[in-house]
Amino acid sequence: MIKSEKVFLLCYVAHRVILLSVRRGDAGRRAAALHDSARSRQPGRREAESTGTAADEVSVDFDQTREAYKSKGSLELLRSLVVFKLCSYDFLIMDLGKTLLGQRAFNQFMKMTFYGQFVAGEDHKAIRPLIQKNQAFGVGSVLDYSVEEDITQEEAEQKEMDSCASAAEKERIGKEKKYKVHKQFGDRRGGVTGARTYFYADEAKCDQHMETFIKCIKASGGSSMDGFSAIKMTALGRPQFLLQFSEVLVKWRRFFTFLASQQGKDGMTALEQKLELNQLQEFLNKLGAKGDFYGWFSGRKEESSGTIDMIDWNSLIDDRTKISDLLVVPNVELGELEPLLAKFTVEEEKQMKRMLQRMDILAKHAIDNGVRLMVDAEQTYFQPAISRLTLEMQRIYNKEKPVIFNTYQCYLKEAFDNVSMDVELSRREGWHFAAKLVRGAYMYQERERAEEIGYEDPINPDYESTNKMYHRCLDYVLDEIALRRNANVMVASHNEDTVKHTLSRMYELGLFPRENKVYFGQLLGMCDQISFPLGQAGFPVYKYVPYGPVNEVMPYLSRRAQENRGFMKGAQKERELLWKELKRRLVSGELLYRPVY
Ligand SMILES: Cc1cc2nc3c(=O)[nH]c(=O)nc-3n(C[C@H](O)[C@H](O)[C@H](O)COP(=O)(O)OP(=O)(O)OC[C@H]3O[C@@H](n4cnc5c(N)ncnc54)[C@H](O)[C@@H]3O)c2cc1C
């Protein structure tokens, strides 16, 4: 970059910083104090409200099998038992099954077992009876069209290499290893059992995915009054853009942290770190910025707090149509700005814009059909961009009510900073924060990639710290709901302790199930002993409902069946409960029980 451009950019940065600082003052500090006061509130139920009864007053018994399996015939219970048992075996059993039965018979077997257990049906018509049945028993649906291309590992790697490298790749300076495509990790399906994976083919394929998501949104709208649809951003465009934008966002954020540490503000949460403008200005001066930008704000300085925080900093990147121009990042080591990429080609620029347009189209369809859109979280080298683009949609579409839900993965070390900053932003700008909280589905893959390629493992060191992180993020959002009734959260987890923790915290804060601010989410075919008692007790609870043609869902299902050992360890309790219910029905003469609704 030539010197005059650099000076211009630095001046622009400084100018924006000052304006933001003047506008926002110390809103963040006030918000933090309010959160502390919510947390220190004495447990106790608020006065009864017309919205319903507080969470804990309705006792939810997760061991009561009669209620839990009220929506299931005995054959369905038996199928669940067989499937969970098969999942508990080593994957070799599945391979053996394929060899012994042959491909056709194996597919038929999968259809009778895994497909029936985890997939609702072939298309939106076929899934309707199941959706209606679940609804009759108090459980809603998040429709999740689940096709996955049946391609080999080599094909997947090649597609990833082709789609993640920019035409201007060779000119790219300062590119970090994490945000580069690596052939050995090109097949993003490895070790992932709870999510579908998309590989980029071309723009027409992305349009096809968008049309599929639109059908899914319409089906959600048609089948219930308050449905959800799930989408994956990697289905909607070339992942190269997500990689590059993620790198910019992360470097930008890191530059803030670097500046904060220069000012002696290490070891604080992201929201607590505030940059002194005077010192920032000095630093920018050192980087080579000249001109009278000091004079731009000195006259208004007394109106401002004299500081800016990470949110002010992040909002400097806010023009979606000029993202390509923003591919200029600070180099912490060299202490100067440098271009991340010379420029997108005209075609790449178009691809990027088309991806954003597809997201806009989906959001509009969601609004027209009264459906809420859940944007799934994916790998950490895409996720900063996915989350940021989702947030941009929330700014537009969540003004009146929560339509777009972002997803936060609590296995990430940075999860609390991500959640608290976005809550704070929604508060400052006055839109509805809406989040799905998950622990995270890509742990093994993320760890292996970080180790092999050589960057810091983004995942918490152990399961216990992920649990703590989950509850910390959850508590923060629940406090926010209690304070303003403006945020919304889906507790997307099969973990009984987490669900119980949520119920007891809802009670302490006086949050009412019927307020529809706190939702619960589980995958279809999993943890019915949690979903159905919650639903029958009046809590908004949803199943992620995968659907799609047998042949197209089968690759994902086979992978799930083969790699499910860790995933299914928690199913031990479920198997015990299923046995208990089957025995109860046998003894009480209810073996032929059929759910009535
Ligand atoms: C409705 C729904 C929607 C979902 N959507 C998404 C999504 O969009 N994106 C996504 O990534 N995932 C998603 N998931 C999957 C989710 O992230 C978890 O993988 C899965 O639910 C298991 O976590 P749990 O809380 O249910 O159960 P638990 O068994 O309590 O937790 C298991 C999880 O803990 C974490 N963990 C386990 N061992 C360790 C360890 N040694 N160190 C650190 N952490 C560890 C991992 O995240 C693991 O998946 C979704 C799950 C549900 C139910």
Side-chain angles (χ1 to χ4, degrees):
M1 192 194 302
I2 56 172
K3 188 106 179 167
S4 59
E5 279 176 320
K6 193 196 280 184
V7 171
F8 174 76
L9 196 126
L10 290 172
C11 291
Y12 170 74
V13 167
H15 183 59
R16 291 293 308 266
V17 160
I18 280 67
L19 289 179
L20 286 161
S21 156
V22 169
R23 258 187 272 137
R24 287 169 185 153
D26 58 358
R29 216 167 297 142
R30 281 200 307 276
L34 279 171
H35 264 257
D36 288 346
S37 83
R39 220 161 291 129
S40 63
R41 241 200 245 181
Q42 284 300 309
R45 202 164 72 81
R46 282 171 18 138
E47 291 299 302
E49 287 182 3
S50 56
T51 41
T53 45
D56 216 13
E57 202 183 34
V58 188
S59 94
V60 187
D61 183 350
F62 298 116
D63 294 324
Q64 230 283 24
T65 59
R66 189 190 188 127
E67 288 302 306
Y69 300 118
K70 215 163 140 184
S71 68
K72 301 271 186 306
S74 300
L75 269 181
E76 287 175 276
L77 298 188
L78 204 60
R79 182 189 60 201
S80 302
L81 262 175
V82 170
V83 169
F84 291 148
K85 185 70 192 159
L86 284 174
C87 286
S88 70
Y89 288 129
D90 196 274
F91 74 93
L92 284 174
I93 293 272
M94 301 305 290
D95 277 354
L96 196 66
K98 213 183 257 183
T99 319
L100 289 179
L101 295 173
Q103 189 64 48
R104 247 179 97 180
F106 180 74
N107 278 356
Q108 189 54 33
F109 164 77
M110 289 291 287
K111 193 176 171 184
M112 285 165 59
T113 53
F114 285 83
Y115 188 87
Q117 178 73 18
F118 296 119
V119 185
E122 299 239 355
D123 56 33
H124 60 272
K125 276 199 194 114
I127 64 178
R128 215 172 276 156
L130 181 86
I131 289 173
Q132 282 166 357
K133 180 168 84 162
N134 283 355
Q135 193 138 23
F137 289 92
V139 177
S141 300
V142 181
L143 294 197
D144 185 18
Y145 192 74
S146 296
V147 296
E148 190 173 84
E149 273 180 285
D150 193 7
I151 53 176
T152 64
Q153 184 178 339
E154 288 71 35
E155 284 167 333
E157 285 169 357
Q158 196 49 52
K159 281 194 170 191
E160 194 74 344
M161 294 305 289
D162 294 344
S163 65
C164 284
S166 153
E169 194 71 3
K170 291 184 202 90
E171 299 172 56
R172 207 169 156 197
I173 302 164
K175 189 167 157 180
E176 289 197 7
K177 287 184 269 188
K178 179 170 179 181
Y179 302 98
K180 264 172 87 166
V181 56
H182 295 272
K183 193 158 193 277
Q184 70 270 41
F185 293 98
D187 186 354
R188 283 180 273 117
R189 297 169 299 184
V192 181
T193 57
R196 261 69 54 213
T197 307
Y198 293 92
F199 294 97
Y200 180 83
D202 52 35
E203 291 297 302
K205 190 84 185 165
C206 294
D207 284 337
Q208 238 178 53
H209 289 151
M210 182 186 72
E211 292 302 330
T212 306
F213 287 147
I214 291 174
K215 277 192 197 142
C216 188
I217 291 169
K218 287 185 175 161
S220 295
S223 59
S224 74
M225 299 292 287
D226 57 352
F228 282 100
S229 251
I231 63 165
K232 280 212 157 42
M233 238 173 264
T234 43
L236 295 176
R238 207 172 155 178
Q240 170 222 341
F241 163 60
L242 295 175
L243 269 181
Q244 287 178 285
F245 190 36
S246 291
E247 182 170 12
V248 172
L249 291 168
V250 167
K251 283 191 167 177
W252 193 249
R253 194 163 153 173
R254 203 181 296 151
F255 190 47
F256 179 93
T257 312
F258 168 73
L259 293 171
S261 81
Q262 295 284 101
Q263 298 191 3
K265 289 168 185 167
D266 288 315
M268 298 175 176
T269 65
L271 261 185
E272 285 165 350
Q273 284 181 328
K274 308 246 189 278
L275 291 185
E276 302 294 331
L277 279 173
N278 276 336
Q279 294 178 34
L280 174 72
Q281 183 204 325
E282 267 172 40
F283 189 84
L284 291 175
N285 266 336
K286 269 192 220 151
L287 277 182
K290 296 216 166 54
D292 188 26
F293 66 91
Y294 182 88
W296 290 356
F297 66 90
S298 55
R300 310 180 66 178
K301 218 169 146 203
E302 65 278 8
E303 293 172 40
S304 81
S305 63
T307 60
I308 56 153
D309 64 13
M310 177 87 88
I311 296 175
D312 301 324
W313 184 253
N314 283 343
S315 62
L316 293 174
I317 303 180
D318 66 358
D319 188 341
R320 290 167 56 177
T321 57
K322 287 187 181 161
I323 286 164
S324 177
D325 294 345
L326 282 164
L327 298 180
V328 175
V329 293
N331 182 319
V332 171
E333 282 85 39
L334 301 178
E336 59 187 32
L337 296 160
E338 62 186 19
L340 184 66
L341 178 79
K343 218 171 180 14
F344 276 153
T345 63
V346 174
E347 185 50 29
E348 284 166 354
E349 188 89 34
K350 275 193 205 151
Q351 287 168 353
M352 179 185 84
K353 283 188 180 154
R354 271 188 230 137
M355 183 176 192
L356 300 175
Q357 281 162 0
R358 288 183 191 109
M359 283 160 47
D360 262 353
I361 291 173
L362 291 177
K364 285 184 181 128
H365 275 279
I367 293 200
D368 290 348
N369 287 278
V371 169
R372 288 156 295 178
L373 212 54
M374 290 216 141
V375 182
D376 284 351
E378 305 187 47
Q379 283 86 351
T380 49
Y381 38 93
F382 296 139
Q383 190 51 30
I386 292 175
S387 188
R388 179 59 191 254
L389 296 173
T390 307
L391 190 136
E392 295 296 341
M393 289 207 291
Q394 292 182 312
R395 281 174 145 160
I396 300 170
Y397 296 105
N398 283 13
K399 285 185 183 141
E400 307 290 324
K401 56 183 183 175
V403 176
I404 311 290
F405 279 62
N406 213 339
T407 300
Y408 297 88
Q409 295 160 312
C410 297
Y411 64 13
L412 297 182
K413 291 172 183 164
E414 60 174 33
F416 182 76
D417 283 344
N418 292 342
V419 171
S420 57
M421 280 200 300
D422 290 356
V423 167
E424 172 61 14
L425 185 69
S426 72
R427 204 184 285 144
R428 287 181 193 180
E429 296 182 345
W431 43 268
H432 292 262
F433 177 83
K436 172 177 66 163
L437 286 189
V438 299
R439 280 184 169 75
Y442 306 95
M443 181 177 75
Y444 298 111
Q445 194 189 92
E446 292 277 6
R447 285 224 161 110
E448 207 183 323
R449 190 177 190 268
E451 190 178 342
E452 205 151 309
I453 292 169
Y455 56 88
E456 189 191 332
D457 182 357
I459 312 282
N460 291 314
D462 49 40
Y463 179 54
E464 206 32 58
S465 42
T466 291
N467 291 344
K468 273 199 194 132
M469 181 64 91
Y470 193 101
H471 289 192
R472 189 175 175 216
C473 294
L474 175 62
D475 287 349
Y476 190 84
V477 182
L478 292 176
D479 286 352
E480 178 66 15
I481 298 172
L483 283 169
R484 288 183 188 74
R485 294 311 203 258
N486 213 23
N488 302 265
V489 66
M490 175 176 278
V491 180
S493 174
H494 300 139
N495 186 309
E496 201 175 303
D497 291 338
T498 294
V499 172
K500 285 179 174 162
H501 173 86
T502 313
L503 296 183
S504 92
R505 201 62 201 133
M506 283 175 76
Y507 173 64
E508 287 168 4
L509 293 166
L511 298 179
F512 295 82
R514 296 285 178 210
E515 282 180 86
N516 270 330
K517 297 276 175 206
V518 183
Y519 313 90
F520 295 87
Q522 285 86 40
L523 304 179
L524 185 77
M526 306 269 309
C527 289
D528 286 349
Q529 81 278 11
I530 291 182
S531 315
F532 285 89
L534 276 175
Q536 280 155 45
F539 290 88
V541 57
Y542 291 81
K543 287 284 194 190
Y544 246 56
V545 175
Y547 71 99
V550 182
N551 289 344
E552 293 181 56
V553 178
M554 213 52 98
Y556 153 69
L557 268 185
S558 306
R559 195 157 45 81
R560 184 161 182 178
Q562 286 173 4
E563 296 172 356
N564 246 348
R565 281 161 299 160
F567 196 57
M568 283 292 161
K569 269 185 199 142
Q572 178 62 27
K573 178 169 178 191
E574 218 165 328
R575 275 164 44 204
E576 283 166 17
L577 292 175
L578 284 162
W579 264 127
K580 189 173 150 193
E581 176 59 8
L582 274 173
K583 279 191 250 168
R584 190 197 66 74
R585 288 186 187 181
L586 187 66
V587 171
S588 61
E590 292 174 57
L591 208 54
L592 298 179
Y593 167 80
R594 280 185 169 276
V596 182
Y597 56 97

